[in-house]
Every structure is written in C-alpha cells, then in structure tokens.
C-alpha cells in the first residue's frame, strides 16, 4: 500500500468517518485507521442506536452535509427514521429530537461512503508509535502479524480519547479527574418483540412507573429506561445499566465496568420482560461489544470551550460546528440519574475551531469529542451531531493545511467557514 498521505485519521467513529470523507472531498489523499473491524464507534460497537439532538425542537438542523447524507442513505434503505422530539426517560422535563437507526446497516453505509470518497482504509490496526518528522508525522501501525509505517502531513485524532495525540506526546493531552468520572453504560438489544404492543410503553407515565418499580425491587440499577425501537426490525435496544467510577485507561477498572454492567443486564432482562408489554416472548439478540463511555482524555487546544458560554449559546468568531443537545451529566443522585441543563438563547451552541487545534503541534487536530472543552461543555457536545460537525471541520482544515503547507494553528477559520457554510442553512447567522 501507499506509505505517504496528506491526512491520516485515527479512529473510525462518526467523527473519523466524516473527517476522512470531508478531507478526501477537498482533494486530500487520506488514510483512516480503525482498531475494530467496522466503522461507527459508539453508534455500532456500543449500539447507541439513535442520533440525539440533530434538530432543535422547532426543526432547525445542526448536522453537517456528510452526516445528513449518511442518515438519508439509511432512511432510503428503510434502516432509519426521524421520530422527532421525545422526552428523556431519566427526566421528562427535558428531551431531544431523535433519529433511530439499525446499527448493522450503518456499518455497511459507512463502508460505502468512505470508499466512494477514495479514502484508504485499514481495519484491525492501531498506532503503536507516533512521532514528528520533517513535514509531517510518522505513524508505526501495529497489526496482528506485521508492523508498517506511514507518513501523514496532518494527523486527525478521532479516537474520542486522544489516543493518537497521547502516543505522540502525553503532555499534549489532559485527563479527566478520576474523582469526577461520569457513569459508563452497556446497551443490549432484544429480538422477537411484538412491536405494536411494545409501543404502548413509550410514554413518560409508563416508563416512570417501570423505572420506580425496578428501583424498588432492586432489578434496575439506575433511574433510566432508554428504549429505542429499531427501524425495519422487531428489535429494540435497551439502556438501563450504569457503572460508576470506571477509568477506561485502567484495565482493571475497565474490566470491572464491563462485568458490572453485563451483570445488570442479566438482572434487568427478566424484569423488563415481565413488566413491559410486547416483551413477553423477546430474547436477548445482542450485547454491545464495548462500553458506552461519557468521558475523554482531551487534547490541549488553543482555547478552552467553557460550559457557561455553551449554555448561553454565545456566538464565537471561529464557529465551525454546532449542536443543540442539552448539557447531560451522568452522575446519579438519590433522585436523578442525569443532571440536565437547557441551552439558552436560540437553543443552538457553536463549537470554535480554536478548541480543536493542538497548541503544541502545527499539524495535529482533534476530530471527535476530545476537543479542548471543560466538563460542562463536553457534556453537551460529546453527542453524535456535534461530533459529526467537529469531524467535518477537522477534515476540511486538514485538507487545506496539507495542500497549502499551513500551520493549523495559523489557519484562518474563515477558510473553513467558507467551505462548510452551505452545510448549515439553519445556522447561517452564527458564522
């Protein structure tokens, strides 16, 4: 295979896929590395089968064009639908717009979109060493039976946990305080569901009753019953698990989170079958292959995105992505599983280019949730729509920098905005 690329993307979740396609569409020669065997990240491997907050309650869209294209392909295949604004099971006073999808179909659609863009793909590979060299970064890639090396002019870290930047230089990243970690989740799916009867459960009063009964009996571990009917299937995904204090960088802690949440699945499943219509003959069809993690090691960027600014929906001069999902902090209290905060103003917050770019390196940019933001801001922008937008901007910026030989730290954000402006007709006033 080729050894030299304009842009190397590490991580194949929503951010990485959109970043790779965006860079390729700007003419860059792109390689994407994914340690698993499919794209999608939390959307496929963690089975988070819905896109929350792609639209405001009044229907304004915050998704970039590439994200909308992928969603539309799923809809055309009968594998996705937009269900509109739905209250949260954990707090019905808050809600968001939801797009439900079949994660197995998403794997296939993402393959198609990435390959059509001309991106080179390597699955089952992960960087073992990354170092700066003249004119770029050299990445030693580990695979089960060999080791290869590639060179990229620009590195996009779309791992969600700054894994690539950490390999380059641990001091170019910052870790979340271990005492402030949010809970992790393991999602599972049930098949052979009587969908017509099951849909009678999907209302605030019924879900609240089931949650409170499950907590009282000790069958549910947290006051959440997030349920997602999968389009075109007689299956639903279920999110009712929670493990606290799990440090994903500590193998023992991570293993505890997996075992603890899987034990909660075994306890909750009989209870839900007994207490939710349509599940009487359901069976366990799949369990996520990895934990859903709500934290990240962040890149040290040029400017930190603050939670108070995000909540106030303040305009920023270098806006390159948007979101409308509320602040959503998963630290359970006696009465609440999640603490929500609404976005003020027009309900749409801006993500600045300056929080994506490494302050230390000229050719390194975050293309996923691990941008330079505080805990509060992160609790909103970590969701799929914002991650798509971050990846989109990272791809465009990387292509420009590779083509022009520009230091990403010196790149004029207006160059990115001029390219992506048409992606966001409902956010035009924020550029």
């Amino acid at each position: 295979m080729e050894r030299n690329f304009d842009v190397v993307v590490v991580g194949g979740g929503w951010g990485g896929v959109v970043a790779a396609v965006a860079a390729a569409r700007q003419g860059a020669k792109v390689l994407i590395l994914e340690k698993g065997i499919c794209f999608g990240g939390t959307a496929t491997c963690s089975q988070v089968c819905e896109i929350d907050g792609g639209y405001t309650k009044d229907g304004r869209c915050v998704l970039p064009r590439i994200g909308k294209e992928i969603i539309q392909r799923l809809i055309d295949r009968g594998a996705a639908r937009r269900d509109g604004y739905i209250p949260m099971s954990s707090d019905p006073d808050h809600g968001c717009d939801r797009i439900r999808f079949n994660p197995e179909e998403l794997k296939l659609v993402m393959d198609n979109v990435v390959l059509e863009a001309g991106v080179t793909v390597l699955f089952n590979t992960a960087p073992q060493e990354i170092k700066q060299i003249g004119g770029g970064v050299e990445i030693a890639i580990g695979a089960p039976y060999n080791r290869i090396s590639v060179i990229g002019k620009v590195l996009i870290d779309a791992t969600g946990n700054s894994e690539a930047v950490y390999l380059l230089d641990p001091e170019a990243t910052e870790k979340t305080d271990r005492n402030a970690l949010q809970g992790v989740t393991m999602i599972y799916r049930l098949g052979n569901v009587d969908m017509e009867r099951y849909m009678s459960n999907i209302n605030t009063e019924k879900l609240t009753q089931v949650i409170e009964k499950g907590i009282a009996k000790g069958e549910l571990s947290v006051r959440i019953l997030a349920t997602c009917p999968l389009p075109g299937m007689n299956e639903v995904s279920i999110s009712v698990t929670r493990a606290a204090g799990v440090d994903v960088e500590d193998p023992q802690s991570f293993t505890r989170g997996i075992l603890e949440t899987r034990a909660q699945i075994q306890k909750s499943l009989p209870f839900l079958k007994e207490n939710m219509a349509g599940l009487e003959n359901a069976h366990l069809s799949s369990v996520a292959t990895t934990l859903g993690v709500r934290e990240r090691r962040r890149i040290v960027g040029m400017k930190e995105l603050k939670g108070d600014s995000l909540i106030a929906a303040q305009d920023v001069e270098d806006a390159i992505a948007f979101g409308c999902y509320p602040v959503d902090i998963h630290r359970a209290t006696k009465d609440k599983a999640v603490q929500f905060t609404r976005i003020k103003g027009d309900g749409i917050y801006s993500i600045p280019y300056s929080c994506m770019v490494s302050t230390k390196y000229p050719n390194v940019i975050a293309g996923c949730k691990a941008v330079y933001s505080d805990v509060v801001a992160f609790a909103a922008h970590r969701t799929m729509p914002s991650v798509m937008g971050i990846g989109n901007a990272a791809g465009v910026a990387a292509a420009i920098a590779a083509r022009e030989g520009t230091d990403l730290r010196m790149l004029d954000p207006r160059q990115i905005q001029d390219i992506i402006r048409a992606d966001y007709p409902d956010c035009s006033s924020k550029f």
Side-chain angles (χ1 to χ4, degrees):
M1 60 170 273
E2 292 282 346
R3 185 167 182 263
N4 294 283
F5 295 88
D6 297 319
V7 178
V8 177
V9 181
V10 181
W14 268 111
V17 165
V18 175
V21 174
R25 289 184 179 180
Q26 291 301 310
K29 184 179 178 182
V30 182
L31 168 68
I32 185 168
L33 307 176
E34 166 52 43
K35 62 185 176 182
I37 63 167
C38 68
F39 294 125
T42 58
T44 52
C45 299
S46 297
Q47 298 200 17
V48 181
C49 303
E50 61 184 23
I51 298 163
D52 292 343
Y55 293 79
T56 62
K57 192 173 183 179
D58 61 2
R60 288 169 295 140
C61 185
V62 297
L63 299 164
R65 179 178 300 172
I66 296 167
K68 286 184 281 191
E69 288 177 9
I70 293 172
I71 293 166
Q72 188 58 52
R73 290 195 187 199
L74 288 169
I75 291 171
D76 292 344
R77 295 164 76 116
R81 67 171 179 268
R82 182 179 166 203
D83 284 349
Y85 182 89
I86 298 174
M88 307 291 190
S89 66
S90 53
D91 188 344
D93 290 336
H94 298 267
C96 67
D97 184 274
R98 300 172 194 257
I99 301 170
R100 271 74 183 259
F101 59 86
N102 178 336
E104 309 309 321
E105 292 274 5
L106 179 60
K107 295 173 185 177
L108 306 181
V109 169
M110 283 185 161
D111 281 353
N112 294 342
V113 171
V114 170
L115 294 175
E116 288 167 12
V119 176
T120 300
V121 178
L122 283 180
F123 287 127
N124 200 32
T125 54
Q128 300 296 303
E129 182 182 9
I130 301 178
K131 60 184 180 181
Q132 289 279 330
I133 60 172
V137 292
E138 184 174 18
I139 304 173
I141 302 169
Y145 300 102
N146 54 38
R147 182 178 168 110
I148 59 177
S149 178
V150 297
I151 294 171
K153 295 178 182 177
V154 178
L155 170 65
I156 299 178
D157 188 332
T159 63
N161 203 41
S162 298
E163 294 173 22
V165 178
Y166 183 83
L167 277 175
L168 173 65
D169 180 358
E171 293 185 359
T173 69
E174 289 182 357
K175 185 179 179 180
T176 303
D177 181 352
R178 187 166 185 172
N179 296 317
L181 294 171
Q182 298 187 65
V184 299
T185 296
M186 177 88 57
I187 293 176
Y188 61 100
R189 280 167 36 196
L190 299 179
N192 195 37
V193 176
D194 183 336
M195 297 302 295
E196 184 174 350
R197 294 182 60 240
Y198 184 78
M199 294 307 293
S200 67
N201 299 299
I202 313 301
N203 65 77
T204 296
E205 182 178 356
K206 175 63 176 176
L207 291 176
T208 300
Q209 289 174 354
V210 175
I211 290 170
E212 294 306 321
K213 183 177 180 179
I215 293 293
K217 294 185 67 174
E219 306 294 344
L220 297 182
S221 303
V222 67
R223 283 183 165 82
I224 289 178
L225 176 44
T227 174
C228 175
L230 300 184
M233 306 174 70
N234 63 345
E235 292 198 12
V236 296
S237 73
I238 303 287
S239 176
V240 292
T241 65
R242 184 63 49 81
V246 173
D247 182 354
V248 301
E249 298 182 20
D250 178 339
Q252 286 185 302
S253 181
F254 191 62
T255 299
R256 173 182 66 80
I258 293 170
L259 293 175
E260 191 173 315
T261 51
R262 284 211 289 248
Q264 292 171 17
I265 290 173
Q266 295 186 67
K267 182 182 288 188
S268 65
L269 181 51
F271 169 78
L272 294 180
K273 290 181 66 173
E274 182 180 334
N275 288 274
M276 298 187 76
L279 295 186
E280 295 86 354
N281 298 312
H283 61 258
L284 183 64
S285 62
S286 67
V287 176
T289 56
T290 189
L291 285 172
V293 178
R294 298 180 179 88
E295 292 296 348
R296 91 300 196 198
R297 177 181 287 274
R298 63 181 186 165
I299 190 173
V300 178
M302 296 173 62
K303 183 177 180 181
E304 185 180 46
L305 174 59
K306 299 288 189 178
D308 55 359
S309 172
L310 181 143
I311 291 169
Q314 293 178 357
D315 292 340
V316 296
E317 188 175 357
D318 59 339
I320 44 70
F322 307 95
C324 60
Y325 189 80
V327 171
D328 166 357
I329 297 179
H330 287 246
R331 296 195 193 102
T333 65
K334 181 178 179 181
D335 300 316
K336 297 283 188 181
V338 186
Q339 286 72 55
F340 291 100
T341 304
R342 287 189 178 87
I343 307 303
K344 299 177 181 177
D346 65 359
I348 296 177
Y349 54 81
S350 302
I351 298 170
Y353 173 71
S354 51
C355 76
M356 299 169 55
V357 182
S358 171
T359 189
K360 193 171 181 179
Y361 294 99
N363 54 356
V364 174
I365 188 167
C368 197
K369 66 181 183 179
V371 300
Y372 196 44
S373 61
D374 68 15
V375 170
V376 175
F378 171 72
H381 76 63
R382 64 177 174 79
T383 50
M384 293 181 199
S386 298
V387 166
M388 293 182 209
I390 292 167
N392 187 56
V396 171
I400 294 171
R403 182 173 62 246
E404 300 181 358
T406 304
D407 184 326
L408 283 167
R409 299 169 296 184
M410 305 300 293
L411 182 65
D412 187 343
R414 289 175 294 185
Q415 288 183 266
I416 304 169
Q417 291 171 338
D418 287 345
I419 293 170
I420 69 172
R421 195 183 309 274
D423 287 17
Y424 298 102
D426 294 336
C427 304
S428 58
S429 64
K430 294 185 173 290
F431 285 107

